[in-house]
Structure formats: C-alpha cells, structure tokens
Amino acid sequence: MNNSYECIEVSIDGKLGCITLNRTKVLNAINRQMVSEILSAMEGFEENEHIRVIVLSGNGRAFAAGADIDEMATDEAIDFEVRNQFKDWDRLAMIKKPIIGAVQGYALGGGFELALCCDLLFAADDAEFGFPEVNLGVMPGAGGTQRLTKLVGKTKAMEWLFTGRRISAREALHFGIINRLVSKEVLMEETLKFAAEIANQAPLSIRLIKESVLKAVDVSLDVGMHFERKNFYLLFSTEDQKEGMRAFQEKRKPNFKGK
Ligand code: DAK
C-alpha cells in the first residue's frame, strides 16, 4: 500500500479499506492532488483481493467543503480541458467494490458530489449537504446536477441547486440521500459495523448487484431486466453460488471466497 499520501489517510481494517480525507485546515477542500490520491487508494483497494468494502470519511469539522476554491479561482475554461481533470472523477465512478461514505459536518459542492459517488451513506446529525456553486457564479461539474436529480427528482434538485441552500441530515434522510442518520459520536463505529456486514456477503453477488442497480438508474426497464438476467446467470458460474446453496442445504454458514 502507498503510505505517502499527503491529503488523505489510508488504512486497512480486516476486509475494509478505509480512506479518510485529511486537509482539516481547509475543511478537507478537494484539490487535484486529493482527487488523484483518493483514486489511487481506491484502485489499490480494488486490486486487493482481501478488501471487500471501501469506507470513505473525513477528518475534522467536515467531510469536504467542496473543491479547493483557491486552486481553481484563476482557472480558465481551457485549463480544465487541457488537464482533462474530470477523468479521475470518471474513474472513481468505475470502482466495482461497494463504497460506503461516512459524512460528518459539511459535504458541499465537490464534497457532496464525492458523497454521491458512494453507494451507501451514513451521516452524523451535524451533517449538512448542499451545492453552493451558484453563489460562486458556477455550477456543479462532477455529476452534482445529474446524480442529485436522479436520486431525488427534479423538484427538490432544482430548488437546492438554484438556492445553494444546505440540506440537513434529517432532510437528507427524508429524501433518501442517506441510508442512516446517527449521532456524531458513533458515526464511524456504526459505519464500520455495517461495512463489515456487507464485507461478509458473497463478494461477486455484491459486485454484480452494484453494477445492476447503477444500470437501473440509466436505462429502460427492458434493458435493465436483460442486464440483470445476464448477471444472474453469471453468478451460477461461481464457486460461491455452489458454496452458498450447499451451506443452506447443510444448515451451516457459507464460507464465501469471491470466486
Ligand atoms: N476551498 C478552499 N478553502 C476552503 C473551502 C473551499 N471549498 N472551504 C473552506 N475553506 C477554508 C476557508 O477558506 C478557511 O481557511 P482560512 O481562512 O482559515 O485560511 C477554512 O477552510 C475554514 O473555513 P471557514 O473559516 O470559512 O469556516 P466556517 O465554519 O466559518 O464556514 C463553510 C464553513 C463550509 C460554510 C465555508 O468555509 C464555506 O462556505 N466554504 C466554501 C463552500 C463552497 O462554496 N464549496 C463549493 C466550492 S465549488 C471539478 C470538480 C468539482 C468541482 C469543481 C471542479 N473538476 C473535476 C474540474 C466542484 C466545485 C465546488 O465544490
């Protein structure tokens, strides 16, 4: 594992690969280096067969208060094109292992977009989500208008994006943005406990379920059903399917290997 990261902390806890955003002086503002480090850590976990679930959190007062405004304040449009800066974000969305986010404090702008790249979200009672880009004369560019709208529908997405207003953890729970709302003191404990539960499920089932659910967001029911069926067939070519069904018949716990 690469331990030379500057903007994040990375650790392994059993079957969990943990990434913690760590630029606390600027509320974990996401600069280019941080995105590249998150991607490198995630791709490392993706290749590590012992890691089953990735957990993403932030140190200090925030999950992340957005992209680093100081870094992009003087950027010109062509700079984004030349740097092809969105490619790292695109690669984050291609991670196949489940990602669980633990959000405390601010998840704003790019921080909210990063949270929306997670498959499941746990949030502390002090969490605040939002897209304040409109106050800066810009708009979300790393999937915010798309992922939020697909998640909550046009009505609330438009309101939150037009106003930049913050969404409380309670509202986020109400609108299905987060899975669980817990007190700040137990946020990591509860997230890790849940992640460990997912980590003990059959890894290939989890992988193909993730792929199928993400597909459902984008395609017609007919196309989605076809996609689901192919993944369903595929799992019958795995050792874990044999093991899972044999364990049921033998009335014991299955021992899944991800094969
Ligand atoms: N960038 C840089 N520094 C930030 C920051 C940010 N997004 N957010 C906070 N900080 C810094 C503050 O400047 C301050 O630094 P010092 O003054 O101490 O040096 C320190 O963090 C503590 O912040 P505050 O003193 O402001 O703390 P408060 O509790 O008073 O306020 C706040 C917290 C979160 C309400 C406030 O800091 C705030 O409004 N922050 C900015 C929030 C924001 O507008 N975020 C959206 C940024 S735009 C892209 C991908 C994505 C994006 C762009 C491009 N590509 C792939 C190309 C996304 C764009 C955005 O996210």
Side-chain angles (χ1 to χ4, degrees), residues 1-12 17-24 28 34 37-38 41-42 45 54-60 188:
M1 190 173 31
N2 176 357
N3 283 315
S4 60
Y5 296 121
E6 283 176 30
C7 306
I8 62 173
E9 290 174 351
V10 173
S11 62
I12 289 177
C18 304
I19 300 171
T20 309
L21 311 184
N22 192 35
R23 296 184 77 214
T24 52
N28 298 329
M34 184 190 272
E37 291 184 7
I38 296 169
M42 283 209 185
F45 288 146
I54 298 169
V55 177
L56 182 62
S57 61
N59 274 338
M188 283 320 293

Side-chain angles (χ1 to χ4, degrees), residues 25-27 29 61 65-70 72 80 85-86 89 106 108-111 113 132-133 136 138-142 166:
K25 283 191 181 142
V26 287
L27 304 180
R61 279 206 293 136
D68 190 326
I69 297 172
D70 295 331
M72 67 182 161
F80 293 107
Q85 218 171 304
F86 289 102
W89 286 82
Y106 303 108
L108 303 177
E113 288 175 310
E133 282 88 340
L136 300 169
V138 290
M139 63 177 281
R166 296 202 203 126

Side-chain angles (χ1 to χ4, degrees), residues 84-218:
N84 193 9
Q85 218 171 304
F86 289 102
K87 88 174 178 307
D88 283 356
W89 286 82
D90 291 343
R91 278 167 64 183
L92 281 180
M94 287 163 67
I95 296 291
K96 295 203 168 199
K97 289 185 180 169
I99 306 171
I100 305 187
V103 176
Q104 96 284 2
Y106 303 108
L108 303 177
F112 192 8
E113 288 175 310
L114 188 59
L116 289 174
C117 289
C118 296
D119 302 306
L120 299 166
L121 282 176
F122 275 51
D125 38 21
D126 73 339
E128 288 188 78
F129 302 83
F131 283 120
E133 282 88 340
V134 69
N135 304 322
L136 300 169
V138 290
M139 63 177 281
T145 62
Q146 303 304 297
R147 288 204 174 92
L148 183 66
T149 307
K150 283 174 192 281
L151 198 56
V152 303
K154 175 194 150 195
T155 311
K156 291 308 288 186
M158 206 68 99
E159 176 188 324
W160 287 326
L161 286 155
F162 276 176
T163 60
R165 194 174 66 76
R166 296 202 203 126
I167 305 161
S168 69
R170 192 157 293 284
E171 268 182 297
L173 184 68
H174 174 76
F175 285 100
I177 296 169
I178 60 172
N179 296 81
R180 298 278 193 287
L181 169 51
V182 297
S183 76
K184 194 172 176 176
E185 294 71 41
V186 297
L187 174 66
M188 283 320 293
E189 185 186 328
E190 291 293 320
T191 309
L192 292 172
K193 201 160 60 175
F194 191 82
E197 195 182 318
I198 306 296
N200 282 327
Q201 303 285 52
L204 294 170
S205 296
I206 295 290
R207 181 185 180 104
L208 296 186
I209 289 169
K210 169 168 174 168
E211 191 183 51
S212 301
V213 172
L214 291 178
K215 194 64 146 184
V217 177
D218 282 327

